Amino acid sequence: MATERWAIALIIFMTLITSTAQIFYKLAAADFSLSVEGILLNWPLWVGGILYLISSVMMIIAFKGGDISVLYPIIALSYVWVSLASPRIFPADSMNTLKWLGIVAIVGGVSLIGIGGKK
């Protein structure tokens, strides 16, 4: 089964939504407590969960359009988006040389898998 371009685009878009969910989870962690009120009233927790649900549905739809061996590794781009966004949202987070090398490795690996999926 050849992987359709729309499936790849949908997975990439899904990684953006997943990364946004992870940012909301980090925001939720600041006010998180293991109590009914602490969970029910923690709106970033709920937003993150809803975004994860949406991204899961998108992933299932994308899997209909291609090989899981090509599409699933693209999800690693979520690490890239979070690494790039988090220092802007959370000033205590920062980028260093190793993180940049990790981003290069992830993008390179995803690219190689995508190229290999065309053959």
Side-chain angles (χ1 to χ4, degrees):
M1 167 189 235
T3 302
E4 301 287 336
R5 288 181 190 242
W6 66 264
I8 293 171
L10 188 58
I11 285 286
I12 292 171
F13 184 65
M14 187 259 332
T15 65
L16 293 169
I17 292 176
T18 300
S19 299
T20 304
Q22 293 166 358
I23 297 291
F24 273 101
Y25 279 162
K26 171 74 173 176
L27 292 169
D31 295 325
F32 185 77
S33 67
L34 284 177
S35 66
V36 175
E37 296 85 16
I39 293 172
L40 292 178
L41 300 178
N42 192 332
W43 69 268
L45 179 66
W46 286 94
V47 171
I50 290 167
L51 289 174
Y52 260 114
L53 177 64
I54 292 168
S55 68
S56 296
V57 170
M58 292 172 72
M59 181 172 41
I60 292 166
I61 293 168
F63 284 164
K64 291 178 75 172
D67 298 335
I68 193 170
S69 63
V70 174
L71 294 172
Y72 197 77
I74 296 172
I75 296 170
L77 290 176
S78 294
Y79 299 116
V80 173
W81 310 139
V82 169
S83 294
L84 295 174
S86 64
R88 287 159 181 78
I89 299 167
F90 308 105
D93 290 359
S94 63
M95 292 296 291
N96 60 36
T97 304
L98 288 177
K99 289 180 183 178
W100 282 110
L101 288 173
I103 286 174
V104 169
I106 290 169
V107 171
V110 168
S111 299
L112 290 174
I113 289 171
I115 291 168
K118 293 180 181 178
K119 297 183 179 187

